[in-house]
Amino acid sequence: MTGRFGLPGGSEGAPEDGPPAEPPGGRVRRFTRRLARPFSRSFAKLSLGARSVAGQVFALQAVIVLVLITAATTALFFQARYDGRRDARNRSLAAAEAFAHAPGLPASLRSADPTAELQPLAEGARRASGVDFIAVMTTDGVRYTDSRPELVGQRATGDLSRAVAGESFTETFKGKPSDVVRAVVPVRDSAGRVVGLIATGIEVTNVGDVVEDQLPLLLGAAAGALLLGTGGAALVSRRLRRQTRGLGEAEMTRMNEHHEAVLHAVREGVLIIDTEGRLILANDEARRLLDLPPDAEQRHVRDLGLDPRTAALLASGRIATDEVHRAGDRLLAVNVRPTKPYGGRPSGSVMTLRDSTELAALSGRAAVARDRLQLLYDAGVRIGTTLDVVRTAEELSEVAVPRFADFVTVELLEPVPRGEEPSAGAHTEMLRAAICGVRADSPLQPVGDVIRFVVPTAPMSAALDAGRAVLAADLNAAFGWRAQDQDGTRVALDYGLHSLISVPLQARGVVLGMANFWRADTPEAFDEEDLSFAEELAARAAVSIDNARRFTREHAVAVTLQRSLLPRVLPDLSAVDVAFRYLPAKAGVGGDWFDVIPLAGARVALVVGDVVGHGVHAAATMGRLRTAVHNFSTLDLPPDELLGHLDELIDRIDQDESAAAGDGDGGDPSGSGVTGATCLYAVYDPVSGHCSMASAGHPGPALVGPDGRVAYPELPIGLPLGVGGMPFEAVGVDLSEGSRLVLFTDGLLEDRDRDFDTGLGMLTETLSRPGRSPDQACADVLAALLFPAPSDDIALLIADTRRLPADRIAEWEVLPDPSDVSRVRRAGAAQLAEWGLEDISFTAELILSELITNAIRYGTAPVRVRLLRDRTLICEVADGSSTSPHLRYAATTDEGGRGLFLVAQYAERWGTRYTERGKVIWAELPLTATAEPLPPPLDLDALEDLAW
């Protein structure tokens, strides 16, 4: 046996025989058992004898209090023991460090008798520090000093190598007769070398004695806590016994089972509300029917998200019997009754709910079906709003994202956007017309790319071949689709695309394109129900795309027809400088038109018209009106008479077409007539500066003076063409030099968002800016008044008027005597020589002789002659008779009748126009002689005897 520091036990002087030492804490556990034993016996008797829930709760609380106090006391004891040992280590190490660093210690160790010098010092230090021993040792562990003199000179056991190496340490040394907590510290000389060791320590039994001295206080506190805990448990048990009426566990369990069965097992909702409107209790059925949140208890009924009517009923507490209330898709039969008062005060009310709709099992499927029906309705409203093929394809993709698919692509056959009928047969290429997705980026090819279907087993090719939708629920397994473009499909799969439905867009049995529905962010793949829905959605879109395609074709035909009927270039005239703009409506070609028609005497006719409606019929009607105006203008009629003849012609055409439709030849009486057309016809004379105009239901022109002032002549607006029954009235206006006439259709001024008067004010402001050519003025007017998407055609005609210079006009009065013809003829020849037109002098004299002679012979006074030098030489002879000459063939034996024939032969054009007091016969000659050989000279005096 070994003692402290591993020495033999006998050397310690401790007996080897005798009872073993009591372990630390033994007295604590023994005292606790003694203290708890009577309480345990009492608790055991109480728990065994008590049948009530209150007695069992008291026993359980008492046992729990006892266990907790015992555990706390034990924990405090072991904590105190741990703290004692830690304190012993610290004290031992501090004492050893202090002694090791004492002055003169290294010198004492090197003395002849270290024990004699150090033993008194060690004992004094031991008593002062309160440790059990202080031993001074050599580096080999041989003691110089010790609290027990018999141990001096003996070697200490244990591992001292760390101290020899210069490290201070503490440890718990276990051995007989007792365990110690010791510290070993090296002693260094002035050179820092270890020359000795200092060991100090405190016996473990002494440390335990310190802890056990605190046991009375710990046990007393434990006993007090036990008494307080059992007392509190007794009070709780007493109150619980009063509230449970002394019922036992079995009775309470049976009551709880009945409560649970009634409250949660029945298929009827139950709510209990207190007097302040807070929810106290809700069973499972009530939570399901009302969709209550998990934390619904203790919240006010108005904060539960209920229907306002139901919440008001719960808050009011009034009695209700089988009232019908709505809760989402359900109709609930509600009953409310007050609960039994408690303590003399009302305690709230109870509500029972019964589902009367029997839709709970089908609510999920009904919601999906409702969403799909709503989506189909939205598709019918939103797809096909513009009659534009590409926009219709975009609307299809926008409707389906994100409610049905994450990405939608629409491809169309190449002829479809142009309005052409696609050819039958296999289709391997299409143009991507639209793409829409839940994210801006996409691995799919962009709009405008050519999409090729080269693998027959790909979903797109299979759908085209079968003529119906094809489902690829898992794109990872769609090997045909992956083989079509391995690199592109790999990118698409990495992006997240995992499911696809391909649907051909077909209308009237013709394939127009294809719609592809993709899912990426939505984890669920497409299924068979989605397949049928995609077919329905694509079928509706295909009809709209086909309607847009047919409209595009009709629009293209109408535009082509209209452009062919409108003037491509305007004549170059001396009377006016003209510019024009024509814009067809976005919704379809209309019937607006304009024209500039040269008239006799250097005059010009400016025409603007409008046919109600759009499409091919309106364009064709416009062409008929323009042709009719051209034909009537050759008669050189005044504007009011021309509109009268035009109105009569249109009325006759309408009657003929209505009669044809009534005979069943396929006519359309509602769409083939031209009633509703308007027209403004103005004639400008550059010689006099006079402008005569008339309107058939059309807005009058704007007149811009040389100073920039804009006026609108008061022009009687007649009825539209084809209405008939009322004459038209013409108005004459004398225009100053440099005036500007602006003719337009109402589409320029008014639209859905702007009335006519507002547009007229904007037009006035734009036209008042001076210093612009007609073409610049047209551009400025459209820039100021043009709508982003005009709903009607726009026709604009701007003409700057010019006056024919006075030195290019020659006039003579003719006496009613045939002999005066020679005088006028010679005067005309002199004027032609002055103008430098000697080359055509003979021809002009010939024509003047014939026209003047016939006016004197067959007309009435006054007779006037006028020569105009314009782009041609114009010869005019006016008289007061309205008799119209006519060209005829004279027989060889006739003495007259050849004069007008000669005029027709030598003149470039000739004709007759009527005035208010007679007529004017005119002829036009080119300003230069023709290359053809002139006829032999004639006796002009002899020709004066010829007549028509």
Side-chain angles (χ1 to χ4, degrees):
M1 297 185 62
T2 59
R4 189 178 58 198
F5 300 107
L7 297 177
S11 64
E12 297 278 344
E16 297 184 3
D17 299 328
E22 187 175 10
R27 284 185 290 175
V28 175
R29 289 191 291 272
R30 187 170 59 255
F31 181 80
T32 303
R33 285 197 297 269
R34 291 174 181 173
L35 178 66
R37 189 176 296 120
F39 287 100
S40 300
R41 294 194 191 101
S42 301
F43 295 155
K45 291 179 181 179
L46 181 60
S47 61
L48 291 175
R51 297 181 178 274
S52 66
V53 174
Q56 296 176 10
V57 169
F58 171 74
L60 181 61
Q61 287 181 331
V63 171
I64 291 174
V65 169
L66 178 62
V67 171
L68 290 177
I69 293 175
T70 302
T73 303
T74 304
L76 288 175
F77 170 77
F78 283 104
Q79 180 66 34
R81 191 175 69 173
Y82 171 78
D83 292 341
R85 289 195 178 188
R86 182 177 60 183
D87 180 66
R89 287 174 181 267
N90 294 336
R91 288 167 55 196
S92 298
L93 182 61
E97 289 283 354
F99 197 85
H101 291 85
L105 181 61
S108 299
L109 290 174
R110 289 193 298 267
S111 63
D113 190 2
T115 301
E117 293 184 14
L118 296 178
Q119 180 68 22
L121 297 176
E123 282 299 311
R126 181 186 66 80
R127 288 191 295 270
S129 60
V131 297
D132 291 338
F133 66 91
I134 294 180
V136 181
M137 299 176 292
T138 67
T139 55
D140 294 333
V142 177
R143 294 180 178 82
Y144 287 138
T145 65
D146 196 90
S147 58
R148 295 181 181 182
E150 65 271 15
L151 297 179
V152 175
Q154 297 186 14
R155 184 182 302 274
T157 61
D159 186 10
L160 303 176
S161 61
R162 289 185 295 172
V164 174
E167 177 185 357
S168 300
F169 67 91
T170 61
E171 64 180 355
T172 300
F173 181 84
K174 295 184 178 180
K176 291 184 179 180
S178 63
D179 298 336
V180 296
V181 177
R182 74 175 179 177
V184 181
V185 176
V187 179
R188 299 177 184 272
D189 59 8
S190 59
R193 292 172 299 179
V194 178
V195 297
L197 302 177
I198 302 299
T200 61
I202 299 175
E203 294 184 359
V204 173
T205 55
N206 294 334
V207 175
D209 293 340
V210 174
V211 173
E212 291 178 1
D213 291 342
Q214 301 177 5
L215 281 179
L217 178 61
L218 291 176
L219 296 178
L226 182 61
L227 291 175
L228 290 176
T230 53
L235 293 177
V236 171
S237 176
R238 180 180 177 183
R239 182 170 182 81
L240 182 62
R241 183 181 298 108
R242 186 166 59 249
Q243 291 182 348
T244 58
R245 302 178 184 275
L247 295 177
E249 180 180 1
E251 290 83 357
M252 295 289 292
T253 302
R254 187 164 54 253
M255 288 183 61
N256 182 67
E257 291 176 352
H258 293 168
H259 172 268
E260 293 292 330
V262 173
L263 190 62
H264 298 289
V266 297
R267 300 295 295 174
E268 187 166 318
V270 178
L271 298 175
I272 297 178
I273 313 299
D274 65 8
T275 56
E276 297 180 357
R278 290 192 301 269
L279 178 63
I280 301 302
L281 183 142
N283 69 343
D284 295 341
E285 185 68 6
R287 292 179 178 274
R288 186 183 68 86
L289 293 176
L290 298 178
D291 193 19
L292 295 176
D295 58 343
E297 280 81 0
Q298 301 303 321
R299 293 173 60 180
H300 198 277
V301 293
R302 298 189 185 276
D303 300 331
L304 299 177
L306 302 177
D307 181 79
R309 184 163 168 260
T310 305
L313 176 61
L314 287 171
S316 65
R318 65 178 177 85
I319 297 175
T321 302
D322 289 336
E323 288 190 9
V324 178
H325 289 251
R326 179 175 293 276
D329 295 333
R330 300 181 178 92
L331 295 177
L332 305 179
V334 177
N335 293 274
V336 180
R337 294 291 185 275
T339 57
K340 183 179 180 181
Y342 176 76
R345 294 177 297 175
S347 57
S349 58
V350 59
M351 169 184 281
T352 60
L353 311 168
R354 185 174 64 256
D355 190 355
S356 60
T357 59
E358 300 181 357
L359 295 178
L362 300 176
S363 59
R365 296 177 61 87
V368 174
R370 183 175 61 254
D371 293 341
R372 293 293 169 85
L373 288 175
Q374 182 64 38
L375 182 54
L376 288 177
Y377 171 77
D378 293 342
V381 173
R382 295 174 55 186
I383 298 178
T385 60
T386 62
L387 289 178
D388 180 82
V389 175
V390 175
R391 180 55 191 156
T392 304
E394 293 173 350
E395 290 170 343
L396 167 60
S397 63
E398 292 169 357
V399 165
V401 175
R403 290 191 288 175
F404 180 66
D406 296 326
F407 291 90
V408 175
T409 58
V410 181
E411 292 80 44
L412 298 176
L413 292 172
E414 192 266 340
V416 173
R418 299 196 307 267
E420 300 175 5
E421 185 86 12
S423 59
H427 305 290
T428 58
E429 291 186 358
M430 293 185 184
L431 290 175
R432 177 146 291 169
I435 182 172
C436 184
V438 294
R439 285 181 275 174
D441 61 321
S442 159
L444 304 171
Q445 291 178 251
V447 173
D449 277 14
V450 176
I451 310 300
R452 294 179 174 86
F453 313 116
V454 294
V455 179
T457 57
M460 297 82 168
S461 301
L464 290 173
D465 293 339
R468 55 181 176 80
V470 171
L471 169 65
D474 185 6
L475 288 178
N476 288 281
F479 299 106
W481 173 72
R482 300 181 65 176
Q484 187 164 262
D485 180 8
Q486 295 183 0
D487 294 336
T489 54
R490 187 181 303 110
V491 173
L493 292 174
D494 294 341
Y495 182 83
L497 297 179
H498 62 83
S499 190
L500 166 67
I501 293 179
S502 296
V503 190
L505 298 174
Q506 303 179 91
R508 300 176 293 106
V510 178
V511 175
L512 304 175
M514 167 157 303
N516 295 297
F517 303 92
W518 311 79
R519 279 187 177 173
D521 295 357
T522 303
E524 296 82 8
F526 289 115
D527 54 23
E528 293 297 330
E529 292 185 0
D530 297 324
L531 190 69
S532 60
F533 175 78
E535 286 185 325
E536 176 67 21
L537 185 61
R540 298 193 178 198
V543 173
S544 298
I545 292 176
D546 188 54
N547 290 338
R549 181 195 63 81
R550 297 171 69 181
F551 172 80
T552 302
R553 179 183 61 185
E554 181 181 345
H555 186 271
V557 171
V559 168
T560 303
L561 175 61
Q562 187 181 46
R563 293 189 183 277
S564 66
L565 295 176
L566 286 171
R568 298 186 179 182
V569 293
L570 297 181
D572 188 10
L573 302 173
S574 301
V576 290
D577 180 14
V578 182
F580 69 93
R581 292 290 189 275
Y582 179 81
L583 295 177
K586 295 294 184 182
V589 175
D592 290 13
W593 58 284
F594 63 94
D595 213 339
V596 178
I597 306 172
L599 300 178
R603 295 171 306 133
V604 62
L606 305 175
V607 192
V608 171
D610 186 2
V611 176
V612 176
H614 297 86
V616 176
H617 173 70
T621 302
M622 177 270 294
R624 297 163 74 181
L625 285 177
R626 181 167 177 258
T627 301
V629 170
H630 262 277
N631 291 334
F632 286 130
S633 67
T634 59
L635 300 176
D636 224 333
L637 300 174
D640 53 342
E641 294 185 22
L642 184 142
L643 292 180
H645 286 289
L646 191 61
D647 179 66
E648 182 181 354
L649 173 64
I650 291 175
D651 184 60
R652 185 165 63 251
I653 292 174
D654 285 345
Q655 291 177 3
D656 294 342
E657 292 182 351
S658 298
D663 293 338
D665 61 352
D668 184 4
S670 64
S672 61
V674 294
T675 302
T678 64
C679 181
L680 173 64
Y681 188 86
V683 177
Y684 172 66
D685 186 353
V687 177
S688 62
H690 184 77
C691 180
S692 178
M693 62 189 75
S695 172
H698 200 89
L703 177 60
V704 185
D707 57 354
R709 294 184 179 180
V710 182
Y712 297 91
E714 295 185 2
L715 177 65
I717 306 299
L719 296 176
L721 298 174
V723 176
M726 297 295 292
F728 298 97
E729 183 177 352
V731 172
V733 179
D734 292 325
L735 303 182
S736 304
E737 181 80 21
S739 297
R740 174 173 289 177
L741 278 172
V742 180
L743 286 73
F744 51 87
T745 56
D746 56 359
L748 177 68
L749 303 183
E750 62 181 352
D751 199 82
R752 290 182 294 268
D753 301 327
R754 188 172 69 201
D755 57 22
F756 186 86
D757 293 337
T758 302
L760 199 64
M762 297 173 64
L763 177 64
T764 302
E765 181 182 357
T766 306
L767 292 175
S768 62
R769 304 169 190 166
R772 294 169 300 166
S773 66
D775 191 74
Q776 292 173 339
C778 285
D780 292 344
V781 168
L782 290 185
L785 280 81
L786 184 63
F787 297 96
S791 59
D792 197 4
D793 291 10
I794 295 175
L796 175 64
L797 187 66
I798 297 181
D800 282 357
T801 61
R802 299 172 182 156
R803 296 290 292 271
L804 194 64
D807 59 357
R808 295 192 177 190
I809 304 171
E811 294 182 289
W812 300 276
E813 290 285 343
V814 181
L815 300 176
D817 186 355
S819 62
D820 198 36
V821 176
S822 299
R823 178 186 65 81
V824 177
R825 187 181 67 238
R826 287 189 295 270
Q831 183 65 54
L832 292 177
E834 184 181 345
W835 286 341
L837 302 177
E838 292 87 351
D839 293 343
I840 63 171
S841 179
F842 176 79
T843 304
E845 290 181 48
L846 173 62
I847 291 175
L848 281 176
S849 296
E850 290 302 323
L851 295 180
I852 296 171
T853 301
N854 284 289
I856 294 174
R857 183 174 297 178
Y858 300 104
T860 61
V863 177
R864 293 183 301 274
V865 175
R866 185 169 70 173
L867 293 180
L868 304 176
R869 185 184 184 279
D870 192 30
R871 298 177 184 271
T872 60
L873 179 64
I874 303 170
C875 304
E876 296 180 347
V877 177
D879 66 83
S881 173
S882 59
T883 303
S884 176
H886 61 280
L887 183 66
R888 69 183 179 87
Y889 288 95
T892 56
T893 57
D894 290 344
E895 296 182 359
R898 294 182 177 86
L900 196 57
F901 178 76
L902 290 175
V903 172
Q905 290 296 315
Y906 285 98
E908 190 176 65
R909 291 194 312 151
W910 74 278
T912 304
R913 73 173 182 269
Y914 294 91
T915 62
E916 295 179 359
R917 295 181 178 84
K919 65 180 181 298
V920 176
I921 301 175
W922 56 271
E924 292 184 3
L925 289 84
L927 297 180
T928 58
T930 61
E932 297 179 359
L934 293 175
L938 299 176
D939 186 358
L940 297 180
D941 293 331
L943 289 176
E944 293 174 3
D945 294 334
L946 299 177
W948 60 74

